[in-house]
Amino acid sequence: MERRDKEILVIGGGVTGAAIAYDLALRGFKVQVVERGSLGAGTSGRTHGLLHSGCRYIADVEVARECYEENVILRRIAPFLFEKNGGLFIAITEDDLKYKDFFLKQCERARIPVREVSREEALRLEPNLNPELKAAVEVPDGTFDPLKVILSFAASAKKYGAEFRPYNEVVGFRVSDGRIVGVRVLDKVRAREYELTPDFIINATGAWADKVARLAGVRVPVKPSPGVMVALDGRIGYMVFNRLNKPGDGDIIVHHRGTSVVGTTSWVVEDPDIVRAPQDHVELMIKRGSELAPIVSKLRVKAVYVSSRPLIGEGAATTGREVSRSFAILDHSRDGVENFASIIGGKFTTARLMAEKMGDFVAERLGVSVRSKTSELPMSPYWLYFE
Ligand SMILES: Cc1cc2nc3c(=O)[nH]c(=O)nc-3n(C[C@H](O)[C@H](O)[C@H](O)COP(=O)(O)OP(=O)(O)OC[C@H]3O[C@@H](n4cnc5c(N)ncnc54)[C@H](O)[C@@H]3O)c2cc1C
């Protein structure tokens, strides 16, 4: 059978779903994406917008290296999407300073190019940093506008024939003889329900993955882990400000256009549809953010937003910080549903890699031997999504 005859349905139009659509369309599959809101309506539309250098996850050399490699690939295939501003990790306390040696050793092990800079140079580069800083390390962080990246993946997928259906929500599956034989979709704009009959279905609904999987009678061990971000009125730096410590609350400030975003916190919820930003988290962001850059406490809060990480693991932890940042593909043929798989975990920065692995998985399951090319070809600009 020709690859074109194999229809794949991707559920979820976040960065993971859009990147998967691109990978599969480029391999020659017929791809449709259904998204219950607009593209990026879930977690992907509400992140720090940090293109990780990997240094934030440096305790896990493999995860850190994975981030750095994707950082390099994305800048190469879509240089128009990423601000090459770099980042600084700064030590403020003696405890931070103790972390520095471990941090530098791990960066070397992960082969991430970093450079220790003097206090004077750090303050010359970024005068709004805490003048009491004790050490600083420059890292290859970057920043991006999440929506533009998602639309670029989608535009690239559309170039190879993929179809995107925003405001179309999966509301049920028809399962027969261990296969999904029909996917019930609600078109929320036209207020009508219809059925799709794809050969293979990918559940890329992030923090909602278990809710969607349950509709097919299977479970996904996703742990929705929200985090609060506070957008301040005013750009107080060019580089990303990070605290030189193990990832914790309020230890990062990312600058976008005229805004500085302080993040984040981490806790675990049952239902990603019922999440509010607790006021004490907002106050904590201001307090901790002021330690990185004292001017934070003087700026007006422009917006507060919250979204949920699709972390892996069930009953493993209570705060979400202990759970792996890496990703997992779940083959539901093991649960008795042959043509269904879910993908959870990961980061925005690693979406292309997650899509490549999912593409490999689907190709193998459908007996097609065509490799991923997304790391080699330039991506389409985001505005082509609307053509
Ligand atoms: C506070 C915070 C800050 C972060 N900052 C960064 C960062 O700076 N850099 C970085 O690399 N990573 C960051 N991350 C991680 C990153 O944002 C996520 O890992 C990533 O966005 C997840 O993308 P996704 O496509 O898997 O999920 P989502 O973006 O959540 O996409 C899933 C989609 O599925 C849709 N959906 C749900 N149910 C249905 C249904 N029944 N039918 C159809 N569609 C459905 C949802 O509407 C949603 O759009 C951050 C995460 C958090 C929580």
Side-chain angles (χ1 to χ4, degrees), residues 15 44 47-52 74 81-83 85 142-150 254-257 348-349:
V15 70
S44 301
T47 80
H48 296 112
L50 166 65
L51 181 68
H52 284 284
L74 289 174
L81 287 175
F82 304 100
E83 198 172 327
N85 34 8
T143 51
F144 58 83
D145 174 335
L147 188 58
K148 285 181 183 163
V149 181
I150 297 164
V254 186
H255 315 284
H256 295 277
R257 300 189 291 277
F348 197 114
T349 304

Side-chain angles (χ1 to χ4, degrees), residues 267-289:
W267 73 104
V268 172
V269 295
E270 284 297 314
D271 186 346
D273 282 315
I274 311 169
V275 182
R276 302 272 175 278
Q279 183 54 31
D280 58 334
H281 286 216
V282 178
E283 284 154 19
L284 184 63
M285 290 304 94
I286 306 291
K287 179 175 171 292
R288 293 274 296 167

Side-chain angles (χ1 to χ4, degrees), residues 63-374:
V63 171
R65 178 72 201 162
E66 186 176 281
C67 277
Y68 176 64
E69 283 173 3
E70 285 306 304
N71 172 315
V72 171
I73 291 171
L74 289 174
R75 288 177 198 246
R76 186 176 69 233
I77 61 175
F80 50 88
L81 287 175
F82 304 100
E83 198 172 327
K84 298 174 192 69
N85 34 8
L88 283 173
F89 275 74
I90 65 160
I92 298 161
T93 61
E94 287 300 325
D95 272 353
D96 297 348
L97 210 50
K98 279 188 208 140
Y99 184 72
K100 191 185 79 176
D101 286 345
F102 170 75
F103 181 86
L104 290 173
K105 219 174 281 163
Q106 292 291 93
C107 289
E108 200 180 325
R109 286 183 63 208
R111 303 190 308 286
I112 301 173
V114 302
R115 180 176 73 100
E116 203 174 343
V117 300
S118 67
R119 179 181 163 275
E120 292 68 32
E121 185 178 354
L123 290 171
R124 202 164 50 242
L125 286 166
E126 293 293 354
N128 279 319
L129 282 173
N130 188 337
E132 307 289 313
L133 71 91
K134 297 183 188 315
V137 182
E138 188 182 3
V139 306
D141 282 342
T143 51
F144 58 83
D145 174 335
L147 188 58
K148 285 181 183 163
V149 181
I150 297 164
L151 290 180
S152 277
F153 274 121
S156 308
K158 279 179 77 173
K159 183 175 169 190
Y160 294 94
E163 190 195 332
F164 284 77
R165 297 185 183 187
Y167 298 100
N168 278 242
E169 178 168 352
V170 169
V171 290
F173 295 106
R174 210 152 47 81
V175 183
S176 175
D177 287 338
R179 280 183 71 78
I180 292 176
V181 293
V183 182
R184 283 213 321 283
V185 181
L186 170 66
D187 179 335
K188 293 160 106 174
V189 175
R190 297 188 180 90
R192 68 176 177 100
E193 234 177 85
Y194 62 95
E195 187 174 271
L196 294 171
T197 54
D199 295 292
F200 200 90
I201 298 100
I202 296 169
N203 174 14
T205 54
W208 290 268
D210 187 45
K211 279 187 140 183
V212 170
R214 281 189 209 208
L215 299 173
V218 300
R219 298 297 306 267
V220 169
V222 70
K223 233 174 163 31
S225 166
V228 168
M229 288 154 286
V230 177
L232 302 169
D233 191 7
R235 182 165 185 142
I236 59 169
Y238 289 101
M239 306 172 86
V240 178
F241 298 174
N242 303 273
R243 184 81 175 252
L244 189 54
N245 59 12
K246 283 202 297 195
D249 294 335
D251 61 359
I252 184 164
I253 306 180
V254 186
H255 315 284
H256 295 277
R257 300 189 291 277
T259 301
S260 297
V261 178
V262 188
T264 182
T265 49
S266 182
W267 73 104
V268 172
V269 295
E270 284 297 314
D271 186 346
D273 282 315
I274 311 169
V275 182
R276 302 272 175 278
Q279 183 54 31
D280 58 334
H281 286 216
V282 178
E283 284 154 19
L284 184 63
M285 290 304 94
I286 306 291
K287 179 175 171 292
R288 293 274 296 167
S290 309
E291 290 168 18
L292 274 171
I295 193 176
V296 161
S297 61
K298 300 195 174 60
L299 296 177
R300 184 178 72 86
V301 172
K302 199 150 73 168
V304 172
Y305 55 111
V306 62
S307 65
S308 299
R309 302 166 188 84
L311 296 190
I312 307 164
E314 195 144 76
T318 49
T319 68
R321 290 226 188 270
E322 304 92 311
V323 180
S324 168
R325 250 66 178 176
S326 200
F327 60 89
I329 291 172
L330 299 135
D331 176 359
H332 295 306
S333 68
R334 293 192 189 138
D335 312 311
V337 184
E338 198 190 307
N339 56 343
F340 188 36
S342 298
I343 184 161
I344 53 171
K347 285 166 282 295
F348 197 114
T349 304
T350 56
R352 190 215 61 82
L353 176 68
M354 293 166 72
E356 180 181 319
K357 298 294 179 203
M358 182 52 104
D360 289 347
F361 172 81
V362 172
E364 196 191 321
R365 284 299 300 278
L366 297 182
V368 171
S369 59
V370 63
R371 65 178 186 85
S372 176
K373 295 197 206 77
T374 58

